């Protein structure tokens, strides 16, 4: 090396520091000016997942801001909302603008795994927080994990391993899977197949459908013809609703048991108990579980005219925990706040004494429920009866099996 010239490593380090300086200066300027602390809710506000999460998740985030008193670090909290239209490029562009121009520190919800994967990558590069409630792809905590990414509600592992074990114990050993053709469906299929086969069962067949399909007849007839004891509907939103409606028309739901790992309470409400009765669902939250959940849900109902599901409660919980961690850390720096989030227990209406693992996964209990018949339901939104409970530690993919690059042992 020529004496007097800086090394390449030093030049690169200086360049990196120079690139980081504008962002740091903007952050300091916003804080000094008392600018709002901004949290974005990036969701499907008008499409097939808009009832699964959508506008009501914006309300849930606003409730979290209210419960912080509307301020954190002496600054007002502002909740932004945008529609990603279930397109990864649209979601990524919206997130980029929020991060780079609007000063958004965290993005919540993110239903649609393809969108979530794109946004989490951007957030990781910028040291920003992702609070994942809507997506379920296991890749978010594995190959695409982030030190500033957190998965709050369901995932493909939690919603397949426990339920399949319980059904297998009941003697239901043969399955047919109807799978949505995107990241969530593919990962759910892989995890469920592995779980069923490990327990000694068999997947007799798989039918894959495009999202937003208006006609599920061919897929349902394949499932019916297979003679499988359980039909797994590995889709979400309007796809799930339309699939169950058509199954009811064919009379399939009375002959074979349906398991819907991605279904939520608004799906049951849209179907009505006559069509939905007997369906098996996995839930991390039920509004009628205890006095605290009923009080919070009544407040939510007054704002939205519907009861919350696990996605809405999860958005509330994740945003509230993020804001509490900012207060605890006395910082809005994403990497600092992420460490504070991991170091704090999660205590709210969604879960008690919840632990966040090193991979960003919130550990909480799950409940397997069966949809009541009209005769069993005693009041509005009285939809579920418990079938089984799975402790959070048993529901989550073991850390020993992680594929997360920063945790995986070499």
């Amino acid at each position: 090396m020529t004496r007097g010239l800086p090394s390449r490593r030093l030049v690169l380090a200086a360049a990196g520091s120079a690139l980081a300086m504008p962002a740091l200066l903007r952050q300091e300027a916003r804080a000094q000016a008392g600018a709002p602390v901004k949290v974005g809710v990036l969701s499907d506000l008008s499409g097939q997942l808009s009832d699964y999460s959508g506008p009501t998740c914006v309300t849930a985030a606003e409730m979290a801001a209210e419960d912080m008193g509307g301020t954190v670090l002496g600054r007002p909290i502002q909740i932004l909302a945008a529609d990603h239209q279930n397109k990864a490029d649209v979601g990524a562009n919206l997130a980029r603008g929020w991060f780079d121009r609007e000063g958004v520190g965290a993005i919540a919800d993110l239903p649609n795994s393809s969108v979530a994967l794109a946004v989490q990558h951007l957030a990781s590069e910028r040291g920003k927080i992702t609070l994942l409630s809507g997506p379920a792809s296991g890749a978010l905590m594995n190959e695409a994990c982030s030190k500033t990414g957190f998965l709050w509600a369901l995932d493909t592992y939690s919603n397949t391993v426990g339920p399949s074990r319980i059904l297998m114990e009941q003697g239901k050993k043969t399955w047919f899977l109807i799978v949505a053709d995107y990241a969530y469906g593919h990962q759910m299929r892989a995890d469920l197949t592995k779980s069923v086969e490990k327990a000694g069962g068999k997947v007799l067949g798989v039918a894959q459908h495009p999202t937003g399909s208006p006609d599920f007849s061919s897929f349902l007839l394949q499932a019916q013809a297979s003679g499988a004891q359980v039909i797994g509907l590995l889709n979400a939103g309007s796809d799930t609703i339309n699939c169950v409606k058509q199954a009811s028309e064919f009379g399939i739901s009375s002959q074979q048991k349906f398991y819907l790992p991605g279904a939520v309470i608004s799906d049951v409400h849209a179907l009505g108990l006559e069509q939905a009765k007997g369906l098996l669902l996995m839930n991390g939250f039920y509004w009628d579980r205890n006095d605290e959940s009923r009080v919070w849900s009544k407040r939510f109902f007054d704002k939205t005219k519907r009861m919350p599901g696990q996605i809405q409660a999860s958005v509330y919980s994740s945003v509230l925990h993020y804001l509490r961690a900012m207060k605890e850390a006395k910082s809005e720096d994403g990497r600092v706040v992420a460490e504070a989030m991991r170091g704090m227990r999660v205590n709210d209406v969604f879960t008690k004494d919840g632990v966040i693992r090193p991979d960003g996964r919130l550990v909480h209990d799950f409940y397997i429920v069966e949809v009541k018949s009209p005769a069993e339901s005693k009041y509005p939104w009285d939809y579920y009866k418990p079938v089984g409970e799975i402790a959070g530690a048993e529901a989550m993919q073991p850390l020993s099996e992680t594929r997360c690059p920063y945790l995986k042992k070499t």
Side-chain angles (χ1 to χ4, degrees):
M1 181 187 300
T2 304
R3 188 180 299 276
L5 292 178
S7 70
R8 181 174 182 271
R9 181 178 299 175
L10 289 174
V11 170
L12 290 174
S17 298
L19 289 171
M21 283 304 294
L24 291 173
L25 290 172
R26 286 196 298 270
Q27 182 174 301
E28 291 175 4
R30 287 195 302 271
Q32 291 173 2
V37 170
K38 297 180 180 179
V39 178
V41 179
L42 189 53
S43 191
D44 177 357
L45 300 181
S46 58
Q48 65 185 30
L49 298 176
S50 60
D51 204 36
Y52 167 85
S53 59
T56 53
C57 284
V58 181
T59 300
E62 291 170 346
M63 289 172 67
E66 290 174 12
D67 289 349
M68 283 294 294
T71 64
V72 65
L73 303 179
R75 295 156 57 192
I77 302 166
Q78 183 178 359
I79 305 297
L80 306 183
D83 189 344
H84 60 47
Q85 302 172 38
N86 291 301
K87 298 176 181 177
D89 57 340
V90 172
N93 286 334
L94 288 166
R96 188 179 293 108
W98 273 354
F99 290 147
D100 297 348
R101 295 187 295 275
E102 296 290 330
V104 169
I107 293 180
D109 194 13
L110 288 162
N112 187 302
S113 295
S114 298
V115 175
L117 288 163
V119 173
Q120 178 145 290
H121 177 72
L122 282 173
S124 180
E125 289 181 333
R126 289 159 171 77
K128 302 289 189 176
I129 302 284
T130 44
L131 304 168
L132 307 164
S133 290
S137 173
L140 290 160
M141 292 294 103
N142 284 286
E143 294 84 357
C145 67
S146 164
K147 292 183 179 180
T148 55
F150 298 88
L151 187 61
W152 222 257
L154 69 160
D155 64 47
T156 54
Y157 188 97
S158 68
N159 279 35
T160 57
V161 175
S164 63
R165 185 184 70 238
I166 288 175
L167 288 169
M168 297 283 282
E169 289 171 355
Q170 295 175 357
K172 296 177 175 61
K173 297 183 180 297
T174 56
W175 294 63
F176 189 96
L177 308 181
I178 297 177
V179 183
D181 185 16
Y182 66 110
Y184 160 80
H186 299 162
Q187 188 64 55
M188 187 72 80
R189 171 188 174 179
D191 286 346
L192 184 54
T193 300
K194 179 180 178 181
S195 178
V196 167
E197 292 178 347
K198 184 177 181 181
K202 187 175 182 180
V203 175
L204 301 181
V206 177
Q208 189 166 282
H209 71 82
T211 57
S213 177
D215 184 8
F216 291 88
S217 58
S218 64
F219 313 120
L220 289 165
L221 290 172
Q222 289 179 59
Q224 185 179 42
S226 75
Q229 294 165 299
V230 183
I231 300 174
L233 299 187
L234 311 188
N235 48 27
S238 60
D239 283 340
T240 296
I241 293 170
N242 290 333
C243 201
V244 173
K245 283 181 177 178
Q246 291 173 37
S248 180
E249 292 169 3
F250 289 131
I252 299 174
S253 53
S254 63
Q255 303 165 17
Q256 296 162 294
K257 201 68 176 177
F258 276 81
Y259 173 56
L260 289 67
V264 292
I265 196 168
S266 57
D267 298 330
V268 175
H269 187 73
L271 286 164
L273 293 182
E274 188 57 45
Q275 290 191 99
K277 63 184 178 183
L279 297 176
L280 288 175
L281 284 69
M282 181 81 157
N283 266 277
F285 173 86
Y286 181 41
W287 75 268
D288 205 12
R289 190 173 65 203
N290 54 41
D291 288 342
E292 183 184 9
S293 64
R294 283 187 282 271
V295 169
W296 184 84
S297 298
K298 174 62 166 60
R299 180 178 156 212
F300 180 91
F301 184 90
D302 289 343
K303 294 173 180 289
T304 64
K305 305 310 174 190
R306 55 157 281 186
M307 284 300 180
Q310 63 178 333
I311 306 303
Q312 288 74 26
S314 170
V315 168
Y316 168 84
S317 174
S318 63
V319 172
L320 183 62
H321 191 71
Y322 166 70
L323 295 171
R324 285 173 172 172
M326 285 186 66
K327 182 179 179 180
E328 177 71 18
K330 298 180 175 59
S331 173
E332 65 173 320
D333 182 281
R335 294 181 178 90
V336 174
V337 176
E339 287 304 307
M341 289 177 68
R342 285 184 172 86
M344 298 166 59
R345 296 295 177 105
V346 181
N347 280 293
D348 50 48
V349 72
F350 184 70
T351 192
K352 297 300 176 190
D353 210 28
V355 175
I356 300 176
R357 304 192 317 184
D359 60 354
R361 185 65 169 101
L362 172 65
V363 179
H364 62 89
D365 296 341
F366 285 90
Y367 313 90
I368 302 173
V369 297
E370 183 174 316
V371 178
K372 292 182 175 181
S373 69
E376 293 172 311
S377 180
K378 303 304 181 186
Y379 41 85
W381 294 86
D382 175 27
Y383 292 160
Y384 296 159
K385 54 185 176 183
V387 174
E389 183 172 336
I390 304 173
E394 296 179 11
M396 309 301 172
Q397 173 186 300
L399 278 174
S400 60
E401 298 178 11
T402 186
R403 303 184 300 279
C404 174
Y406 69 81
L407 292 177
K408 187 176 179 181
K409 294 180 180 179
T410 57

